[in-house]
Amino acid sequence: MPVSAQYMCWLAGEFAALHGLMAVDIARRAYRSHDCEGDELGAEFWFAMSVLVDDVMRHRLDAERTLSIH
């Protein structure tokens, strides 16, 4: 089921708020786990989530604001 970029950003913000500094590590481990199991869709989701969570944690992405792509 496809999700919007805005929803992914919001989800990354919630994930970061819930797990704090461990959020990026959790997302990266989930990516590797799905990748090793051959779950391509799950691996793609968790890879994208790890990137977004990292951006949220480094304050490069504000999950509360509307996403704009330049």
Side-chain angles (χ1 to χ4, degrees):
M1 176 175 154
V3 297
S4 70
Q6 189 65 45
Y7 180 74
M8 285 289 290
C9 290
W10 173 82
L11 191 58
E14 292 296 307
F15 194 72
L18 181 64
H19 295 288
L21 296 175
M22 293 295 300
V24 176
D25 186 51
I26 293 168
R28 287 179 182 159
R29 283 188 283 139
Y31 159 70
R32 286 191 301 271
S33 175
H34 284 272
D35 190 45
C36 286
E37 293 173 1
D39 179 8
E40 197 172 308
L41 190 58
E44 288 175 5
F45 171 84
W46 282 107
F47 179 78
M49 186 59 62
S50 71
V51 171
L52 292 171
V53 169
D54 187 51
D55 284 348
V56 168
M57 296 301 291
R58 294 174 186 263
H59 304 286
R60 293 185 296 221
L61 177 66
D62 184 353
E64 298 293 319
R65 295 186 61 198
T66 303
L67 184 65
S68 64
I69 300 173
H70 300 274

